[in-house]
Amino acid sequence: MISRKVLGSLVCLFVVTAFIWTTVGNGKVHYLPYYLPCPEIFSMKLQYTEEKLIQLFPQLFYQQPRVLAPKRQDVLTVTPWLAPIIWEGTFNSEILDSAYRPLNLTIGVTAFAVGKYTRFVGRFLESAEEHFMKGYRVNYYIFTDNPERIPNVQLQPGRRLVIVPIQKYPSWQEISMRRMEAINKHIAETSHQEVDYLFCLDIDMVFYNAWGPETLGDIVAAIHPGYFNVPRSQFPYERRSSSAAYIPDGEGDFYYGGAVFGGLVKKVYEFTKTCHMTILTDKANGIMAAWQEESHLNRHFLSHKPSKVLSPEYLWDDRKRKPPEIHLIRFSTVDKNYKEIRD
């Protein structure tokens, strides 16, 4: 049913239109006053049923960011190519959650538990359930040559464990070299349809504090804890020009750790494909880079800069003392006997 107000407005509009047509039709154009006898038609608002306003950032109350008073003045917080470097104090978790949670994302994690490294799976998963991407869907892809030795860890709703069987390799160096290939193949066959972002992490590590959406980006690298405060002349880059991982003296931004990298699943696919190809190039020439896949990772990120860089908070080492620049440790390598577990 049409209301009286709407009906009256339509009649008013018809009268005004007829008046204009009659005036112009007589060959005389008269001045029309700016005020029309039914102005309410111009202020009417149509009410649609079930109209919903999309609000990406809901009303939040937080401390005003101060341009001249950054919270971190003791560390570099942005790279020369304008990628953020993520440290404690450089982001607001509540604001980020309000932006990312409505996107209904699924985050993937790959980790390799080969040989004796299966002993680290339980603690890795338990700590991840406590600190990694809380409130988001997560798929843990555990690559292993011993599926029967992977423990059954209680996971939160919306999070699942996927065991990916792989073949045994004769040495830990060969395992390291094969990781890029295995990840790339799994993305192509499976995970590109299941996750939005993918992080590739070492299994012999533990989460100690929150790891959240501040880490999400197109392609993400992490600064190695052993080289964040030394000049690049001391970085253990591959220095042989015959290697595809070669980085000349005087070049390089940071030394990135191979234990943590990630990003959009399609970007990780492209990255792992490129690294796998350069590894194969070296293998065809009888070369093994100084630090296997980590050397190729650093070479790639020299010419293809990461869009986000994680501080050593996200890649620490339990054997190292925490310096004042590291306000908290989020993810760290556990202390262990490397010789014993690699034999």
Side-chain angles (χ1 to χ4, degrees), residues 10-78:
L10 292 175
V11 171
C12 180
L13 180 61
F14 174 78
V15 171
V16 172
T17 303
F19 172 74
I20 295 173
W21 180 82
T22 302
T23 303
V24 175
N26 292 333
K28 298 178 181 180
V29 178
H30 297 276
Y31 170 77
L32 292 176
Y34 68 89
Y35 176 81
L36 296 177
C38 49
E40 65 270 16
I41 192 171
F42 300 107
S43 61
M44 286 178 58
K45 294 183 179 180
L46 302 181
Q47 299 297 320
Y48 295 99
T49 58
E50 298 183 4
E51 184 178 6
K52 296 180 180 179
L53 298 177
I54 298 175
Q55 189 173 7
L56 186 59
F57 293 96
Q59 186 176 10
L60 298 173
F61 297 94
Y62 51 90
Q63 187 177 6
Q64 177 191 353
R66 307 301 296 270
V67 173
L68 301 181
K71 289 188 175 182
R72 296 300 299 265
Q73 301 182 25
D74 56 334
V75 292
L76 184 68
T77 59
V78 64

Side-chain angles (χ1 to χ4, degrees), residues 125-126 149-155 161:
L125 291 174
E126 289 168 0
R149 298 188 63 182
I150 303 301
N152 185 20
V153 176
Q154 184 68 35
L155 303 180
L161 173 62

